[in-house]
Amino acid sequence: MGTGKRGLIATAVTVVCALTVLAAPGTAFASPGPAPTPSAGPALAPDKDLEAVRKKLDKLYRAAARATDEYNAAEEKADKQSAEIVKLAKKIVKGQERLAKLKDRAGAAAAAQYRGGGLPPEAHLMLSDDPQEFLDGAGRVRQGQHAAKGLIRELTRTQEDLEQYARDASAQWKKLEAGRKAKAAAQKEIEKQIAEAEKLESELRKEEQERLAELEKEAAGKAQTAWLDSGILDEIKGKASEQGKKAVAYATAQIGKPYQWGAEGPKTYDCSGLTSQAWISAGRGIPRTSQEQWKQLRHIDIQDMRPGDLIIYFDDASHVAMYVGDGVIVHAPRPGRTVTLAGAGSMPILGVVRPDADAGTD
């Protein structure tokens, strides 16, 4: 990443984490002006109470994130199952057409036998007095018998194929129905958790909501500072691949767009919707959910991390972000927030995965 871009990212992260110093022990809060005259209204909730609110909100939104992953997984499975049902339906149609043609051929053979007086070709052959006709007829009889057996085998095989396609389609349909139920249950859970979080926030006064936002930034800033103080950034020197650069360019171009659970753009995103679409734009399809990205993509040591790699967060792999360099990520945080830059260490890191076809470390 160039020096100019590093400077811009560093500046952005400085703004995001600027309130970190407010959390330092013994730091005094400067008053912007003369102390306001005490009002008769209710006092603001103390920071310890707002901190409890912050932790509860974090818990609620984490639960919503887990349910969102379940929703996305069910939706992805449903798409695959629907596509499989369509393929099987096409096979059934082709099989039925083939079966109809084979039955026509069998019918024609039966009609020919009827026209011959109902006697099989072997009987007509035995009644012939001409030796040459007998020899010629014997060859035709053998060919006819072989063709008849082949026709019967084809009919049988086609019918068996149709029966199997029907069984497969029925099984896929049952899976699709189960997936729809799982998706509906996940959606209900998401909406429940978000509604509870929004209710909790709505009960706060404007000043308390502002202070709550500050506490969120302070918590993220503390975590990022601790991560940087470990010296990890000195060890991370990987350079982005060409695909990685394209993925980073896509993801950072979405900054400012709202979070929406289940969304894959172009106007709104959830966390894995952003990362999966960024890599699709770079020509590399990856799993839709953060949990599947963690399971299926190649794991990379943090010190080998490079821009474009995905950082998976929390023990349940319920959040994912894209590393853009200089200790910074771009991600879609949660409902009520927009796609933004943040410190890579601002949340508990589970691990790093690399989507590139070239999984080397450069």
Side-chain angles (χ1 to χ4, degrees), residues 118-130:
L119 294 174
E122 296 90 335
H124 285 288
L125 182 61
M126 294 304 295
L127 294 173
S128 174
D129 294 328
D130 186 339

Side-chain angles (χ1 to χ4, degrees), residues 52-315:
V53 170
R54 183 191 71 78
K55 289 180 178 178
K56 186 172 182 180
L57 284 171
D58 185 61
K59 184 178 179 181
L60 291 170
Y61 283 123
R62 287 268 327 278
R66 285 191 293 272
T68 298
D69 233 30
E70 292 170 7
Y71 176 92
N72 290 336
E75 186 171 52
E76 190 174 34
K77 285 180 183 176
D79 289 343
K80 289 179 180 177
Q81 286 154 0
S82 295
E84 187 61 31
I85 288 171
V86 170
K87 282 168 61 179
L88 288 166
K90 289 179 180 177
K91 286 182 178 180
I92 289 171
V93 170
K94 287 182 179 178
Q96 287 172 333
E97 290 173 351
R98 181 168 182 75
L99 189 61
K101 289 178 182 177
L102 291 171
K103 285 181 177 179
D104 286 344
R105 282 170 56 191
Q113 184 171 325
Y114 176 77
R115 287 193 297 272
L119 294 174
E122 296 90 335
H124 285 288
L125 182 61
M126 294 304 295
L127 294 173
S128 174
D129 294 328
D130 186 339
Q132 186 60 47
E133 183 182 346
F134 182 89
L135 292 174
D136 293 341
R140 287 195 297 272
V141 166
R142 283 196 297 272
Q143 291 174 354
Q145 288 174 336
H146 181 73
K149 288 178 181 177
L151 178 59
I152 292 170
R153 282 198 300 269
E154 241 184 311
L155 273 165
T156 302
R157 186 169 59 248
T158 301
Q159 287 175 323
E160 289 174 349
D161 286 346
L162 281 170
E163 290 169 3
Q164 186 60 51
Y165 295 153
R167 286 194 293 270
D168 290 346
S170 177
Q172 289 295 336
W173 186 261
K174 287 178 181 177
K175 288 180 182 178
L176 184 61
E177 287 300 303
R180 284 175 179 163
K181 290 179 181 178
K183 184 177 170 182
Q187 179 173 346
K188 187 175 180 181
E189 181 65 17
I190 293 165
E191 291 170 347
K192 173 188 171 185
Q193 300 295 343
I194 292 176
E196 189 173 343
E198 288 176 344
K199 181 176 182 293
L200 185 60
E201 287 185 285
S202 69
E203 292 170 350
L204 299 174
R205 295 164 58 189
K206 182 181 177 181
E207 295 88 346
E208 291 171 333
Q209 290 178 358
E210 290 172 351
R211 180 57 186 148
L212 180 65
E214 290 178 0
L215 290 173
E216 287 180 357
K217 291 177 182 178
E218 288 176 19
K222 281 181 182 179
Q224 174 70 354
T225 298
W227 187 69
L228 293 175
D229 285 348
S230 70
I232 188 66
L233 199 57
D234 296 334
E235 300 176 29
I236 300 174
K237 302 184 185 299
K239 295 180 181 178
S241 65
E242 287 306 310
Q243 279 189 312
K245 289 176 184 176
K246 291 177 182 177
V248 168
Y250 180 96
T252 52
Q254 312 314 309
I255 289 174
K257 293 184 179 180
Y259 177 100
Q260 168 85 37
W261 61 266
E264 298 176 83
K267 294 182 179 179
T268 58
Y269 295 88
D270 64 19
C271 67
S272 57
L274 176 66
T275 55
S276 59
Q277 288 301 308
W279 272 99
I280 286 174
S281 77
R284 178 73 170 169
I286 64 173
R288 168 64 176 88
T289 69
S290 59
Q291 292 178 345
E292 288 305 309
Q293 288 170 7
W294 175 243
K295 287 178 185 176
Q296 296 185 36
L297 299 179
R298 181 174 176 181
H299 291 203
I300 299 295
D301 289 338
I302 290 180
Q303 60 265 30
D304 294 327
M305 187 164 59
R306 67 187 186 191
D309 287 346
L310 306 182
I311 303 180
I312 310 296
Y313 291 96
F314 305 109
D315 290 342

